Amino acid sequence: MASNGIVREGSLEAPTRHPLDWKNPDFWDEAALDAELERVFNVCHGCRRCVSLCGAFPTLFDLVDEGPTGEVDGVPKARYGEVVDQCYLCDMCYMSKCPYVPPHEWNIDFPHLMLRAKAVERKRTGPRLRDTVLSSTDKTGLFAGIPVVTQTINAVNRTQPMRALMEKTLGVDAKAWLPSFATRKFRSAAGDAVATEVKDGQRTPGKVVLFSTCFINYNEPGIGLDLVAILDHNEIPWRLAKKEACCGMPKLEQGDLDGVEALKNINMPQLVALAREGYAILTGVPSCTLMFKQELPHMFPDDPDVLAVRDAMWEPFEYLVARHKDGLLKTDFKDKLGKIAYHVPCHGRVQAIGRKTEEFLKKIAGLEVDTTERCSGHAGTFGVKKEFHAMAMKIGRPVFRKMAEFEPDFISSDCPLGGHHLAQGIEQNHQKTPELAHPISLVRRAYGI
């Protein structure tokens, strides 16, 4: 490809990403979308560097190789959707494999093109019931927090007849792990911060607001309570936003961009006020952090509130490592944890902040960390769907194997959903059941608090 007289096969420049132009009517034009899909598929067919990442690329290459011409022009456009369906927006092709991402003149952004295709298809055919249920986390979360109700629902959902019914009616795979509802929500159980004095560091704000996330609030509040305990132990004042809705990532995965905007309009007034008061905003789920750090800014690049919240967002270990460098974090770890097989989730890698969790865990004496930086295959709602669960388990096999071979005392991932997927895969493939614990929970144990 020629650029200013220079022929470039790929690019060594740092990738840059263009905004998602979803308010432009051209974004929704089906003929224009098909033309762009054909253009990008042609580049991917000629490169094939991403063949091992997920199911999207092998699906594309099989369609090409089995077609009458052996080229993309032999693939019926009606079958492009088979490629789109296999993409779960992990962004790894964009971040770690593709040599043609912007600023390269070929301007390949495969994940955003797949997102556009999902959005156009959803607008054309309407939402599926299953996708609506899986992405409406605040509505399903209404079951949480009522002990008798949650215990009944959790018990019923674990029975084979109910799982078979869910598979038949909703397309939720009967073998996939599903979360239980908590008998008490995190936002109800969190209480108040212990510390009141704000100690700003050179790198870190001295006060924190927690965006609890749907999963921690409704399903595993213990992760949030462990984070609160760590903040209290380190005398860091914290608070919750007065109101909170889903970050929007589950709806983004389904191409429901209007749904993402509706949730943004609930969260932004709460979070931007706190961001402008100088709070660091932490979430306990990488996908939620990524939503505020990157996806919403891509969708609303000119919204000053969105950009202010972006600049205030931190991954928990990103904040704790910076706090340690400021000399404002305690290292009075008491308990030795042994061997930890740690997994870096894709939505943590995409943030390009480095291995902050690994960096922090290695500060704890008596702890041996073995890190795996490869997709687990779960990908939010993708891994529980009947037509994709087997693929999700296949993608995760190299990770299951590496983590099992370490013979760990604990397995751990910043993504709690991915962590359960890993535990299921290790048990099914290697007949081992090391204890699963979120990294935040491991740090609380190490502090002995």
Side-chain angles (χ1 to χ4, degrees), residues 147-430:
V148 174
V149 174
T150 57
Q151 290 164 8
T152 301
I153 292 174
N154 290 340
V156 171
N157 282 346
R158 285 193 289 267
T159 65
Q160 289 184 351
M162 177 55 70
R163 291 305 304 270
L165 180 63
M166 291 174 66
E167 181 173 286
K168 182 177 180 180
T169 59
L170 291 178
V172 174
D173 195 284
K175 298 182 292 296
W177 174 86
L178 290 179
S180 298
F181 292 109
T183 55
R184 191 178 185 191
K185 299 175 186 176
F186 167 70
R187 286 176 62 86
S188 302
D192 299 313
V194 172
T196 57
E197 182 183 358
V198 176
K199 300 175 184 177
D200 291 326
Q202 182 180 353
R203 300 167 182 81
T204 54
K207 54 186 180 180
V208 166
V209 60
L210 300 179
F211 183 86
S212 58
T213 76
C214 300
F215 186 82
I216 290 175
N217 192 33
Y218 302 134
N219 303 112
E220 293 190 11
I223 298 171
L225 296 175
D226 291 341
L227 178 54
V228 162
I230 293 168
L231 295 173
D232 283 340
H233 182 68
N234 284 284
E235 301 173 0
I236 301 171
W238 59 268
R239 59 170 294 182
L240 304 177
K242 291 181 180 178
K243 186 176 182 181
E244 180 180 313
C246 174
C247 70
M249 182 61 79
K251 291 191 179 296
L252 187 81
E253 292 174 349
Q254 314 300 339
D256 183 5
L257 303 185
D258 290 328
V260 171
E261 183 174 31
L263 293 169
K264 184 267 294 185
N265 290 340
I266 297 172
N267 285 319
M268 280 302 149
Q270 308 295 324
L271 295 179
V272 74
L274 295 164
R276 289 178 175 145
E277 288 177 27
Y279 282 87
I281 306 173
L282 275 62
T283 88
V285 177
S287 297
C288 302
T289 315
L290 181 69
M291 196 70 197
F292 290 107
K293 272 189 174 183
Q294 293 187 24
E295 301 298 350
L296 288 174
H298 288 148
M299 289 179 64
F300 306 95
D302 301 319
D303 187 324
D305 291 354
V306 170
L307 301 183
V309 170
R310 174 198 65 189
D311 295 340
M313 292 297 300
W314 298 71
E315 276 286 301
F317 283 97
E318 179 189 13
Y319 179 83
L320 294 175
V321 166
R323 196 74 175 161
H324 180 265
K325 291 178 180 178
D326 281 337
L328 294 170
L329 199 79
K330 296 178 181 179
T331 55
D332 54 339
F333 302 112
K334 297 180 177 64
D335 295 344
K336 295 184 179 181
L337 300 177
K339 298 171 65 177
I340 297 174
Y342 165 64
H343 169 256
V344 187
C346 296
H347 282 177
R349 295 167 66 189
V350 173
Q351 295 177 42
I353 58 175
R355 297 178 177 178
K356 298 302 182 186
T357 302
E358 177 193 62
E359 183 178 343
F360 190 90
L361 291 176
K362 287 184 174 180
K363 299 180 187 300
I364 302 173
L367 186 155
E368 185 180 356
V369 183
D370 185 73
T371 300
T372 302
E373 192 176 63
R374 181 169 178 154
C375 184
S376 71
H378 187 272
T381 61
F382 179 87
V384 305
K385 295 177 180 179
K386 177 175 173 56
E387 64 268 39
F388 303 127
H389 177 67
M391 175 60 74
M393 298 300 286
K394 179 180 180 180
I395 292 169
R397 278 180 201 156
V399 184
F400 307 152
R401 180 175 61 252
K402 184 176 184 297
M403 296 181 81
E405 288 174 350
F406 185 57
E407 298 287 348
D409 298 296
F410 298 94
I411 57 172
S412 191
S413 176
D414 301 278
C415 175
L417 290 167
H420 284 283
H421 182 71
L422 293 167
Q424 181 180 14
I426 290 171
E427 182 176 7
Q428 289 183 1
N429 288 271
H430 302 281

